[in-house]
Amino acid sequence: MNKTAMIAASRVDERRALTSWMALHEIDILSAANGIEAIEQMAVAPPDLVLAQLSMNDMSGLRLAHYMRSHPGFSQVPVILLCQNTREMELANGKWPTFLFEAPVNTALISELQRELRELVY
């Protein structure tokens, strides 16, 4: 069974770059343009991992991460926040892994994705 990742990002370039990398690694992908869409999709098909752009309209990646941590059905799902600058990274306050998003996907983010996906147990 393939692992599933939710990509919640309003920036199309982020979704496209992450989708390309995950498709090469046989990871099923759910995609949402904001946190609200992500929650709606996760209610139907829970992911194994969530990558969320910190700054999104309607519901930010940070609010999505807080929601997931407090919701029993999602509290164990790893969340990685994608940031546009170091100021955004500071907003996560060390509670979640944060990475500056660069297209193509940067090597530090790839390493974190690989680590998180290896640690998932079915």
Side-chain angles (χ1 to χ4, degrees):
M1 176 186 269
N2 286 356
K3 295 174 182 164
T4 302
M6 163 60 73
I7 301 170
S10 59
R11 291 179 46 197
V12 176
D13 61 327
E14 286 187 26
R15 287 198 313 260
R16 189 174 298 132
L18 291 166
T19 298
S20 297
W21 184 87
M22 290 184 185
L24 290 172
H25 293 84
E26 299 181 357
I27 300 165
D28 293 333
I29 301 155
L30 302 171
S31 182
N34 60 54
I36 294 170
E37 285 182 24
I39 290 170
E40 290 170 354
Q41 288 187 45
M42 290 188 306
V44 176
D48 298 302
L49 172 71
V50 172
L51 294 109
Q53 179 184 331
L54 190 117
S55 297
M56 293 185 286
N57 294 331
D58 298 327
M59 178 186 269
S60 71
L62 190 57
R63 285 191 59 209
L64 174 61
H66 282 288
Y67 170 85
M68 290 179 65
R69 186 166 282 168
S70 67
H71 190 282
F74 303 121
S75 63
Q76 298 303 310
V77 176
V79 176
I80 297 172
L81 295 174
L82 306 171
C83 304
Q84 294 181 27
N85 54 49
T86 54
R87 186 192 67 76
E88 282 190 357
M89 291 179 78
E90 292 169 2
L91 293 174
N93 200 25
K95 293 182 181 180
W96 293 274
T98 57
F99 294 89
L100 289 175
F101 181 79
E102 303 163 348
V105 181
N106 73 46
T107 55
L109 176 55
I110 288 172
S111 294
E112 181 68 12
L113 288 170
Q114 290 170 330
R115 187 187 69 73
E116 288 289 357
L117 291 167
R118 271 194 307 273
E119 289 184 5
L120 294 173
V121 179
Y122 285 95

